[in-house]
Amino acid sequence: MLRFALLVLLIANAGYLAWTQGWMATLGWTPEEQSEPYRLKQQVRPDVLSIAQPEAAPAPAPNEPVEEILPEETICLQSESMDEAQSKKLQRALQSSNLPTGSWAMVPSSIAGRWMVYLGKFPNEMSMEKRRAELRNRKIGYDRAGGNLEPGLSLGRFSSEEAATRELSHMLNQGVRGARVVQERAPQTLYVLRLPQATVAQRNVLQTLQSALEGKALRACPAAP
């Protein structure tokens, strides 16, 4: 039995060798060809096939410079003081201008009245000089009254009428004749135009409002205390 199995195995190996070597081609028994020409015959239109090349990666864009946007330079501007009538005139001009709403303001400030112990008006400079000599002899200070009180002399200026009246009593006790209390300045409210962040364009608009400003200069705002 073992001999028979070995014989069968030997015959099978011999047949496989003859088949792979093509010795049995006359009988139509040949292995399938694996050569390159045979495989090309199995392709569908091999002439139109091509190997796709990978697309080149796009070159990185050069870094473009970023333009730095700087804030517009502004300054704080403030006008000289003006009375209520001029303030209202200027406000009308500002409201009709191209200045943005909220870019400007009229800032009020109260000015207290002022009273003076006064000598005058004198008829001429000679009369006034005579009273000066008298005051010097009594060692009493004085200065020019100024404004529409000229020619005259001030013996003291005070923020209240009561204070001025007390000083007048003191002067009369010292023998100063003809002195009296006058109101040098009435209490009033003054206004200033203020632009806390005036741009170049806004400053140009202000140049067109010179007539409404009536000579009131615009200057940098005073530093905060």
Side-chain angles (χ1 to χ4, degrees), residues 144-213:
R144 295 294 294 257
N148 57 5
L149 295 174
E150 290 289 345
L153 297 174
S154 169
L155 304 183
R157 292 176 170 87
F158 304 87
S159 60
S160 70
E161 187 175 8
E162 292 78 10
T165 301
R166 288 194 298 269
E167 181 65 15
L168 174 62
S169 299
H170 178 65
M171 293 295 169
L172 294 175
N173 291 334
Q174 288 187 290
V176 177
R177 297 170 291 104
R180 68 185 190 275
V181 172
V182 297
Q183 188 174 40
E184 181 185 18
R185 181 184 66 205
Q188 60 181 319
T189 300
L190 297 179
Y191 300 84
V192 296
L193 169 63
R194 185 180 178 91
L195 294 90
Q197 294 182 322
T199 63
V200 173
Q202 292 169 8
R203 298 199 289 273
N204 291 336
V205 173
L206 290 172
Q207 292 297 321
T208 67
L209 301 176
Q210 290 301 315
S211 60
L213 283 165

Side-chain angles (χ1 to χ4, degrees), residues 40-146:
L40 288 175
K41 291 178 182 179
Q42 304 303 313
Q43 296 178 3
V44 179
R45 300 189 64 192
D47 57 309
V48 300
L49 295 181
S50 62
I51 299 176
Q53 298 294 331
E55 295 184 1
N63 293 331
E64 296 183 0
V66 179
E67 183 179 355
E68 184 179 3
I69 301 177
L70 299 176
E72 185 175 5
E73 182 181 359
T74 62
I75 60 173
C76 179
L77 289 178
Q78 182 172 303
S79 72
E80 296 178 295
S81 298
M82 61 191 76
D83 60 26
E84 186 173 0
Q86 185 181 359
S87 169
K88 289 181 177 180
K89 177 181 177 181
L90 180 57
Q91 285 187 69
R92 289 192 295 269
L94 291 167
Q95 290 165 356
S96 301
S97 71
N98 294 327
L99 289 176
T101 302
S103 65
W104 58 271
M106 300 300 297
V107 182
S109 59
S110 297
I111 304 297
R114 188 162 64 187
W115 284 260
M116 177 191 299
V117 177
Y118 174 68
L119 279 174
K121 293 182 174 181
F122 299 106
N124 49 57
E125 287 290 329
M126 184 178 297
S127 299
M128 187 167 64
E129 182 57 37
K130 183 179 179 180
R131 296 305 303 268
R132 284 176 176 161
E134 178 186 336
L135 294 172
R136 286 194 294 269
N137 290 334
R138 296 178 183 273
K139 301 187 184 312
I140 296 175
Y142 62 89
D143 62 2
R144 295 294 294 257

Side-chain angles (χ1 to χ4, degrees), residues 9-28:
L9 181 61
L10 181 60
I11 294 172
N13 288 335
Y16 178 76
L17 177 63
W19 177 73
T20 57
Q21 298 299 320
W23 296 339
M24 302 175 68
T26 57
L27 300 177

